[in-house]
Amino acid sequence: MITLFFKRAIDDIFKNRFLNLVTIITISLSILITSAFILFFINTSEIINSWQKGLRIMAYLKPGVSNTDLAYLKQAVQSLDGVESLRYIPKAEALSQLKIQMEHQSSLLENLTENPLPDSIEIRMTADIGSWHRIASLAGQIEMLTPVAEVEYGQRWIGRFIHLFNLFRLAGYAMGTLFFIAVIFIVANTIRLVIYSRREEVEIMRLVGATDNFIKIPFYFEGLIQGALGAVIGLGMLYLSFFFISANVEQEFMPGLFRLKFIPPTILVEILAGSMLVGWLGCYISLKQFLKG
């Protein structure tokens, strides 16, 4: 029986090629855009996590910190939750490192009469430091210690980036919801037109004793097929775009530093199931309205 329903659904799709093609293309474009947002969120989250794992806190010390105060500071920082290791950097060493880093602009440092850099402590955090708020909290605790003049950990630019990322995520949720609703009504209208074109056939089937389920199930199969084909096409287009773009991005901007990832298989299955659910819901809405139950 299932094979019969499936065959009837396939026949309906081929008989109404144009309507079904428009529906499948609409679903595929919606899946493409929504999946592109998901792909962006996955890779951006990975980048943020890698930054957090490799993030350092630089604590710049006040002038004239004694050895006793320095020993106290090291012990206090090391005892904080989330600190993996620390390294004291005297200002003479910091200036030497700066000269090495600026070897092509060394003339800028030749006329210095005194070292303008402060002593500092480089603090590395544990890999499980977790959220950005924990990093900010840890930096705040270090800054409250008496010998510390200032703390720097890239809070400005990373904080802005995370804020922008959160805005994109909200936009993605909103667009995904809009596409979900729009596709449901597109599928519903397609099925409605198919039913309208076959209204005489449907009435004859009812007259000869066909049950409503016998009439409706092939349309449900049709919606599921539309959703599945739309998801496969949309995800296929996304993968081709990802394949060509990722190679160039990794070579030009992030050689050896970060590898872009495609959507994991579990999420791909969820997208496919969601697309099929959209097709089914579109059919359900249309059939409920036209076949009354």
Side-chain angles (χ1 to χ4, degrees):
M1 185 64 70
I2 293 178
T3 305
L4 175 63
F5 290 145
F6 185 80
K7 184 177 181 301
R8 284 177 56 194
I10 295 294
D11 290 339
D12 282 344
I13 289 174
F14 279 103
K15 285 179 183 177
N16 300 275
R17 293 185 187 89
F18 179 76
L19 289 174
N20 286 285
L21 183 62
V22 170
T23 302
I24 291 170
I25 291 174
T26 303
I27 293 174
S28 64
L29 291 176
S30 300
I31 292 295
L32 174 63
I33 296 172
T34 305
S35 301
F37 269 95
I38 293 172
L39 185 62
F40 170 78
F41 297 147
I42 289 172
N43 285 282
T44 306
S45 298
E46 288 289 330
I47 292 173
I48 292 174
N49 290 335
S50 66
W51 282 345
Q52 289 180 347
K53 290 177 182 177
L55 200 61
R56 300 172 302 169
I57 294 177
M58 295 299 299
Y60 299 105
L61 309 185
K62 296 176 182 177
V65 174
S66 65
N67 291 334
T68 304
D69 290 337
L70 181 60
Y72 155 76
L73 178 62
K74 288 180 179 179
Q75 183 178 3
V77 171
Q78 191 68 66
S79 65
L80 294 175
D81 183 34
V83 173
E84 181 179 9
S85 63
L86 56 85
R87 182 170 73 94
Y88 173 64
I89 305 175
K91 60 182 182 180
E93 181 182 340
L95 183 60
S96 298
Q97 292 178 356
L98 182 62
K99 288 180 178 179
I100 293 172
Q101 293 171 359
M102 299 181 61
E103 58 179 340
H104 298 296
Q105 295 87 24
S106 57
S107 59
L108 298 174
L109 304 175
E110 288 178 354
N111 298 323
L112 290 176
T113 56
E114 61 179 21
N115 189 343
L117 301 177
D119 297 326
S120 61
I121 292 180
E122 180 187 77
I123 301 145
R124 292 189 176 275
M125 290 162 287
T126 56
D128 60 346
I129 185 65
S131 67
W132 178 253
H133 297 290
R134 283 193 62 194
I135 297 173
S137 175
L138 177 60
Q141 294 178 62
I142 295 171
E143 193 169 17
M144 287 190 295
L145 297 173
T146 304
V148 177
E150 185 181 357
V151 168
E152 174 66 42
Y153 58 100
Q155 62 268 42
R156 292 181 180 177
W157 66 273
I158 295 182
R160 290 173 183 172
F161 182 86
I162 293 176
H163 179 67
L164 184 63
F165 169 73
N166 290 332
L167 290 178
F168 269 107
R169 180 160 53 188
L170 290 175
Y173 290 151
M175 290 186 65
T177 302
L178 288 175
F179 282 130
F180 183 83
I181 296 172
V183 171
I184 286 176
F185 282 103
I186 289 170
V187 174
N189 287 327
T190 301
I191 299 297
R192 185 180 295 117
L193 290 173
V194 172
I195 295 174
Y196 183 79
S197 67
R198 296 179 52 197
R199 62 190 184 281
E200 293 182 0
E201 179 184 345
V202 170
E203 289 299 325
I204 292 173
M205 292 173 66
R206 278 182 159 177
L207 288 173
V208 298
T211 63
D212 282 348
N213 285 337
F214 185 83
I215 297 171
K216 290 190 291 186
I217 289 176
F219 290 109
Y220 287 139
F221 272 93
E222 190 171 334
L224 293 173
I225 293 170
Q226 289 174 344
L229 289 176
V232 170
I233 294 171
L235 292 172
M237 291 190 293
L238 179 66
Y239 181 76
L240 290 176
S241 302
F242 170 81
F243 179 79
F244 287 110
I245 293 173
S246 62
N248 294 326
V249 169
E250 289 174 6
Q251 288 179 1
E252 296 292 332
F253 300 102
M254 299 181 294
L257 295 179
F258 182 78
R259 186 173 182 83
L260 293 175
K261 297 180 179 179
F262 193 63
I263 300 174
T266 52
I267 299 181
L268 291 176
V269 172
E270 290 174 0
I271 293 172
L272 176 63
S275 182
M276 294 174 69
L277 175 63
V278 166
W280 185 88
L281 284 174
C283 287
Y284 176 79
I285 292 171
S286 183
L287 292 170
K288 186 176 182 180
Q289 181 178 2
F290 276 78
L291 298 183
K292 301 188 184 303

